[in-house]
Amino acid sequence: MNKRAPTAGPEAVSAPILGIETSCDETAAAVLSADGVVLAEAGHSQLQEHARFGGVVPEVAARAHLSRLPAMVADVMRRAGVAFSDLCGVAATAGPGLIGGLVVGSSFGKGVALAHALPFVPVNHLEAHALTVLMPGLGEPAFPYLLLLVSGGHCQCVAVLGLGRYRRLGTTLDDAVGEAFDKSAKLLGLPWPGGPALEQLAKLGDPAAIPLPRPLLGRPGCDFSFSGLKTAVARAVAQGGRREDIAASFQAAVAAVLADRARHALRLMPDATALVVAGGVAANAAVRQALAGEALRAGVAQEAPPPRLCGDNAVMVAWAGLLRLRAGLSGAVDFAPRPRWPLSEMTCA
Ligand code: KG4
Ligand code: ZN
């Protein structure tokens, strides 16, 4: 069955796609139908493997991906009731991320694609986060929209102009926001990764109790900075502040800064239809609430994928692959994984 014509340009895709994610510490695989419905998905977070080191160890991550991915792919294919030869293509994260994991996932994907004469789609992990909200049944905002990408490795305001067309409006000058959550959580004695644990602790605290800085708030542009905030958390801990109050005050400061930066970015994008928040930190309720207020003020929709699709997952990778195949944009099987792959270097042809 020819599921995809070899020429470039918009195409009807009529078969399911397999997606693979291995760029950091989540091993994941998913099968989506041609219209983007999830047929089967699986994910294994390597938290236990890395917890005793207090962070992701690249070699440990690569080995864990290698040991889990083959069985996981077989499992999602079986549950989806799809044979490899029935797929329209294979999408795998090819960057940015930790090179060992990227090599494991993309090599596996290329192997399946070559063995079954399918297109291979090298997916940019950031593009996958950026496009998740376009999945059927989610917000489905129209281009252009403002993306606030807030994760453990990234903190950016991005103008999403179309598939493969991105303009970075601002980024962090030091730590990513998820990193700030993780480091502050560690200072509070919480287990890694600290974001979700800090959010729980913050529920028991007073967000106005500890005066913490709000770095770059009100400054022109939409860059971020979080290292000063983390230092202030360290000071508050050393001074014996109540842990719950420090957590709540930290979270309030982060939410205020993200809202302020989003406000500035929206001013740079007067034609934006929506404010979309994605990445692991988008699971945080206080952050979502602050951004919803900002979107309301700017008169645009606020969209965020459901929390389970905010963190790393293979559904978003399969979806990005599907959109690329539909646009006639499959990649080459000799695409070399890219540990650094800014969205501004994406191609749309
Ligand atoms: O997108 P993601 O799963 O992985 C990448 O970094 O690409 O994001 C993980 C980050 C971690 O720093 C984690 O602490 C943070 O997202 N995070 C949260 C929450 N859930 C995850 N931060 C704050 N509140 C949360 N509920
Ligand atoms: Zn991510």
Side-chain angles (χ1 to χ4, degrees), residues 88 98 142 181 193 238 259 274 277 312 330:
C88 69
L98 301 173
F181 265 99
V277 56
D312 291 348
S330 79

Side-chain angles (χ1 to χ4, degrees), residues 129-150 160 262 266 272-279 281-284 287-296 299-307 309-310:
H129 275 304
L131 301 176
T132 310
V133 76
L134 297 174
M135 288 189 71
L138 302 189
E140 298 177 56
F143 295 125
Y145 55 83
L146 172 65
L147 168 72
L148 199 61
L149 182 58
V150 283
V160 180
L266 283 168
T273 66
L275 165 57
V276 173
V277 56
V281 179
N284 185 286
V287 166
R288 289 167 93 105
Q289 197 185 343
L291 293 174
E294 218 42 67
L296 194 66
V300 299
Q302 194 244 359
E303 315 280 3
L309 293 180
C310 282

